[in-house]
Each structure stands twice: as C-alpha cells, then as structure tokens.
Amino acid sequence: MDSITQALLGATVQASLLGRWQGRKALLYGAALGTLPDLDVVIDYGDAIADMTYHRGFSHSLFVLGSLAVALAWLARRIRPDPNYSSRRLFLTIWLVLMTHVLLDAFTSYGTQLFWPLTAPPVAWSSVFIIDPLYSVPLLLAVLSGMIVGVKDRRPRWAASALMLSSLYLGFTLAGKQMAEQRVEAVMNAQGIQASQLFSTPTPFNSLLWRIIVIEDDHYYESLVSWFDEQPPKLVSIPRGERFATALSESRQHARLQWFTGGVLRYDDVGGQLLVTDLRLGMTGFHPFRFALAERNGEGWELIPFVERLPTEHANLDRLKQIWQRIWQQQPGLPLAEWAADLDRPG
C-alpha cells in the first residue's frame, strides 16, 4: 500500500491503544513506526529485478517484525518508562502497528514475503489497489480528528471506528474478488477454456471494477467485471509470447521474476530486445514493471547481465476516465486488445 496510508494506519492503531497516555505523540510514533518496514526501498540489491523481488522481503517478515517488536518495546521501556501502561500493552501496540502494515500490503497485488526467510512464494491476495481512497479516507479523518481534538485522557473511539470501517472495507474487496472470479469461471466453463493460471485484481483506485487475467498456453485472456454488470463478462484473447521464454531458461533474473509473480508474465520481441512484463500490476497495456532480459544475437538471444527497469510512461487520463465509466456501463466494452497491443510497439 502507499506510504501515506501505511502511516495513517500506524497512527490510528497506536492512538487507539496508547493515545490516552501518549496524546498526539501517539499519532507521530505510530505513523513513523507504520512506515518502518518500507525503508528497505533504500537498499540496492544489484539490479532492477532484484530490487523489485527483494522489496517486501526481510523487512516484511512476520518472524523478523515479531522479534523487532520485542526489541523496540524493551528499548522504549529502558529509555522512557511510563508506569501508566504495561509493558505488555506497549509490546502489543508496536507489534500490531508493524503487523497491520505487512498484512495490508498482502492485500495488494505486488507480493509480500510474510514468511521470509522461508522460500514460500510471496503472498498477494490482490483485493486492493495500491492506492484506494475508500480504504484511506476513514483513517485520514481519524488522524485529523486526533490532531485537532487531541487524544490524551480520552477514549479514542474515533480511532477504533476508523479501523473497523477500513477492515470492513477489506472484507468487501474480498467479496468483490470472489464475485469477479466466479463470473469469469462460469464463462470459461461454458467456452471450454482450460486455464493454467487465473489472476484477479481491482482496477486503479477502486474496488468496483475488477480485471481478470486467464493464462492459457501461448496466449492469455483479459476481462473486466463490475459489481453493476448485467451480462456475462467477455474474455479478450491476447498473445502472450510464451515461446520466447525458452530463451531465458538460463536467466536467474527470469527465474526469480517467475517465482515472484507466479508466472503472470508476458514476453515481447521489441526492437531486438526480449521484454518481460509483469501483467499483475497497473492496467491493460500500462504496466510499471517491464524488463529487457535478452538482446537478439543473430538467430538467437543473448542474456543481458545487468537488467534495468524500463521507463514508465505517465498515466493516460483518458483511459482512466474510460475505466471509471466502465464501472457503471458494461457496454460499450473497453478496447483491451488495442491497449494491450501497446506493449508490442517500440517506446
């Protein structure tokens, strides 16, 4: 999730548990602690794929953060002891601020390595877009209320209410995800489509319109499903270029990327370079994580030893407007095949 939302969440959690004694400082402490796991972004892991796939690794591990909570609670008691609340309450507060950060990240599509150092695949429940105002606004109002009115010597009901509303909203997003997948699966069964992978995620900045990716051999299908649709979804077939993946059989970066994304990838030969795209993130035809992994060398391909992330274009506001209109109107459908074709063109 975006850093602002994580800071708001941490501030609200800390205010709900320690605000009565810490006052407005609880908001500051919680906001700082709530952004702590994301400081791993300053680490250079070697290349663009390493930076992507090691982010949300050790710093988002349930094991590491549990130990860190113990250490921070002990340190806080040593430096600034406060007899008004127990060490157990302090530990619980720090632990919840850290844990809610990584669990919220797991609701996005990126992938969070909750069980590091175990080699289990990253957790990506993918029911919330990385920026979702409906989740963030209750937390923002709670923090603003605490800053204006104060929290010391008060029962922070506003903080508990905000956390409850945000948690209920997460439940709503999971229901939306299930709704969208069931509708697409019904169409797949009717058309005899045998998928090797099905991935669903909300479209940008909302949880009412869902994007479904169905991978089948050398092509994939994309579909959009809204809560307000009255007709079955349409599956649009798009070339995936999986045949190019054989050229990357010796690429450690490609193997790492496959593990991190669950194989929801697309391959394109563009300008003599073999580009690999993470289809999970962004929107059809606009994906922030694209990498050139090989260059054409005569009849074959030569691996690129140092991989860089391709520059990301600015968001297309006209397309965002069309996506918003699609939430409410199923017809006419969006030109997904046309948007996806942008990935096969030189930048």
Side-chain angles (χ1 to χ4, degrees), residues 184 187 191 193 212-215 219-224 233-239 266 284 333-341:
V184 167
V187 174
Q191 297 182 6
I193 296 175
I212 316 296
I213 301 172
V214 178
I215 294 179
H219 64 279
Y220 64 101
Y221 299 90
E222 287 218 23
S223 182
L224 294 175
K234 179 181 178 182
L235 273 63
V236 178
S237 179
I238 302 171
R266 166 174 166 157
T284 311
L334 298 183
L336 298 181
E338 179 182 331
W339 290 1

Side-chain angles (χ1 to χ4, degrees), residues 104 107 125 127-128 132 134-135 163-179 207 210 227:
L104 179 58
F107 275 91
W125 296 318
S127 71
V128 180
D132 191 325
L134 287 180
Y135 179 84
L163 292 171
M164 181 178 296
L165 282 174
S166 293
S167 298
L168 289 173
Y169 178 71
L170 291 179
F172 170 75
T173 66
L174 292 174
K177 181 181 181 71
Q178 184 177 26
M179 173 276 300
S207 59
W210 291 79
W227 273 105

Side-chain angles (χ1 to χ4, degrees), residues 61-116:
S61 166
L62 298 178
F63 308 123
V64 171
L65 294 180
S67 301
L68 179 61
V70 173
L72 290 177
W74 176 84
L75 186 62
R77 274 303 191 200
R78 294 276 295 182
I79 296 176
R80 297 197 65 177
D82 191 326
N84 293 311
Y85 53 86
S86 66
S87 297
R88 180 179 300 178
R89 191 180 191 92
L90 176 62
F91 164 75
L92 178 63
T93 301
I94 296 173
W95 183 81
L96 281 175
V97 170
L98 295 173
M99 292 301 167
T100 52
H101 176 117
V102 298
L103 291 177
L104 179 58
D105 275 348
F107 275 91
T108 69
S109 303
Y110 188 91
T112 306
Q113 298 169 56
L114 296 179
F115 305 107
W116 185 97

Side-chain angles (χ1 to χ4, degrees), residues 10-25:
T12 307
V13 171
Q14 181 128 352
S16 67
L17 291 172
L18 292 180
R20 186 186 304 181
W21 301 282
Q22 292 181 341
R24 291 185 177 89
K25 289 182 180 179

Side-chain angles (χ1 to χ4, degrees), residues 60-321:
H60 286 60
S61 166
L62 298 178
F63 308 123
V64 171
L65 294 180
S67 301
L68 179 61
V70 173
L72 290 177
W74 176 84
L75 186 62
R77 274 303 191 200
R78 294 276 295 182
I79 296 176
R80 297 197 65 177
D82 191 326
N84 293 311
Y85 53 86
S86 66
S87 297
R88 180 179 300 178
R89 191 180 191 92
L90 176 62
F91 164 75
L92 178 63
T93 301
I94 296 173
W95 183 81
L96 281 175
V97 170
L98 295 173
M99 292 301 167
T100 52
H101 176 117
V102 298
L103 291 177
L104 179 58
D105 275 348
F107 275 91
T108 69
S109 303
Y110 188 91
T112 306
Q113 298 169 56
L114 296 179
F115 305 107
W116 185 97
L118 303 180
T119 57
V123 177
W125 296 318
S126 61
S127 71
V128 180
F129 193 71
I130 194 169
I131 300 175
D132 191 325
L134 287 180
Y135 179 84
S136 305
V137 165
L139 302 176
L140 174 61
L141 294 177
V143 170
L144 290 176
S145 175
M147 292 174 61
I148 295 171
V149 178
V151 293
K152 197 173 184 63
D153 301 322
R154 296 174 180 268
R155 290 183 178 274
R157 294 177 179 175
W158 46 267
S161 298
L163 292 171
M164 181 178 296
L165 282 174
S166 293
S167 298
L168 289 173
Y169 178 71
L170 291 179
F172 170 75
T173 66
L174 292 174
K177 181 181 181 71
Q178 184 177 26
M179 173 276 300
E181 290 185 357
Q182 287 179 345
R183 292 187 185 182
V184 167
E185 287 170 351
V187 174
M188 291 169 55
N189 292 334
Q191 297 182 6
I193 296 175
Q194 300 294 323
S196 61
Q197 180 80 329
L198 186 149
F199 182 84
S200 62
T201 184
T203 54
F205 313 119
N206 78 94
S207 59
L208 297 175
L209 181 65
W210 291 79
R211 173 171 164 256
I212 316 296
I213 301 172
V214 178
I215 294 179
E216 186 182 45
D217 300 327
D218 199 41
H219 64 279
Y220 64 101
Y221 299 90
E222 287 218 23
S223 182
L224 294 175
V225 181
S226 169
W227 273 105
F228 303 100
D229 287 352
E230 297 181 354
Q231 301 297 323
K234 179 181 178 182
L235 273 63
V236 178
S237 179
I238 302 171
R240 181 167 173 252
E242 187 182 24
R243 64 189 181 278
F244 292 121
T246 57
L248 302 173
S249 60
E250 302 298 322
S251 170
R252 289 180 297 176
Q253 291 99 328
H254 180 242
R256 179 78 183 177
L257 198 58
Q258 281 189 313
W259 169 80
F260 189 78
T261 64
V264 187
L265 299 170
R266 166 174 166 157
Y267 306 85
D268 294 282
D269 177 1
V270 179
Q273 290 189 320
L274 180 48
L275 306 185
V276 182
T277 304
D278 181 354
L279 294 172
R280 305 169 307 149
L281 308 176
M283 182 60 195
T284 311
F286 178 82
H287 305 282
F289 290 96
R290 301 193 77 198
F291 309 93
L293 294 190
E295 292 180 321
R296 187 171 291 282
N297 183 9
E299 297 297 323
W301 294 94
E302 181 178 350
L303 296 179
I304 298 175
F306 183 78
V307 176
E308 296 183 308
R309 178 178 165 188
L310 271 62
T312 303
E313 298 179 1
H314 294 294
N316 189 313
L317 296 181
D318 180 63
R319 290 189 182 182
L320 288 175
K321 181 180 178 180

